[in-house]
Amino acid sequence: MTSNIPILTLNNVSRTFGTFKAVTDVSETFGPDELNCIIGPNGAGKSTLLNMICGTLPVSSGSISFGETAIHGLSGDKIARLGIARKFQVPSVFESLTVFENFQVSAPANSDLAILEEILSTVNLVEDLDVTASDLPHGKKQWLEIGMALTMQPKVLLLDEPTAGLSADETSATAKFLRGLVGKVTVVVIEHDMAFVRELGARTIVLHHGEVIASGPFSEIENNEFVRDVYLGRR
Ligand SMILES: Nc1ncnc2c1ncn2[C@@H]1O[C@H](COP(=O)(O)OP(=O)(O)OP(=O)(O)O)[C@@H](O)[C@H]1O
Ligand SMILES: [Mg+2]
């Protein structure tokens, strides 16, 4: 059974760039081992929010806690070591190494081979073990990077637009394996692709001009009139 203590708590998190408010007073909690999605139009502040959680960008005000540990103000390295892994939009894998060698680089030295095999299977790369990363199609490179993040056995996995540039089939396969991570790791996915978000069927947070305008199950979000207006450019 999972506990009810949030793994991640954002409390009035804000970020300004000069006088521009990129993220304003975001307060949200993320339960352990749950799947979450953050959506919103271009420039809504999604990446900025993710950057603040993983420590690549300092908060302007507010606080972020990992369990009961305050993490805003810690370096990105320290936050990663606490168990928050992040995948950037552009895959950053070691091009000249094979899939398995990439895993060996990212995984802690004492990693159990059985766990690495399970992760390879999760991200659909079992048959590509010996393939050099540079020879992988774009979609599998994205999966390799998600797999590499998983080898660190994080408590929280942050993904910024993991389906960018993927085919419909690859997008659907991604939704399937991310759903399979429920109960294993807390996942926060930033996405644009509504078909993908629908397939994830996760708790969804909607950002607009840096503020949370709605939060709840995707089925509710999809029928929220304000959210629809925002996506249709009416607000
Ligand atoms: N380093 C920066 N300096 C100045 N403004 C920035 C900086 N980073 C982001 N912004 C601005 O903050 C706003 C939010 O940007 P952010 O990248 O978080 O949006 P996003 O929701 O991820 O958008 P997209 O869907 O296009 O990726 C944008 O208006 C952007 O121009
Ligand atoms: Mg972004």
Side-chain angles (χ1 to χ4, degrees), residues 43 45-48 89 160-161 190 192:
K46 304 179 298 295
S47 295
T48 301
Q89 185 167 342
D160 199 347
E161 299 196 28
I190 286 182
H192 263 302

Side-chain angles (χ1 to χ4, degrees), residues 7-10 48-59 63-67 69-88 149 152-158:
I7 186 88
L8 199 60
T9 305
L10 311 184
T48 301
L49 190 62
L50 216 68
N51 287 335
M52 290 191 283
I53 297 171
C54 68
T56 48
L57 195 67
V59 302
S63 61
I64 304 175
S65 302
F66 174 61
T69 309
I71 56 167
H72 57 283
L74 298 184
S75 71
D77 276 356
K78 221 169 219 165
I79 291 173
R81 276 200 299 274
L82 284 172
I84 299 182
R86 189 246 172 100
K87 188 210 160 303
F88 290 89
M152 294 178 246
Q153 297 194 258
K155 295 273 188 347
V156 177
L157 177 64
L158 307 173

Side-chain angles (χ1 to χ4, degrees), residues 4 16 60 70 87 123 131 138 148 154-155 199 206 215 217 223 233:
N4 289 323
T16 54
S60 295
K87 188 210 160 303
V123 298
V131 177
H138 174 75
M148 288 168 72
K155 295 273 188 347
E199 222 175 323
V206 189
S215 168
N223 294 311

Side-chain angles (χ1 to χ4, degrees), residues 79-100:
I79 291 173
R81 276 200 299 274
L82 284 172
I84 299 182
R86 189 246 172 100
K87 188 210 160 303
F88 290 89
Q89 185 167 342
V90 179
S92 58
V93 302
F94 298 98
E95 297 279 344
S96 62
L97 301 183
T98 65
V99 165
F100 194 69

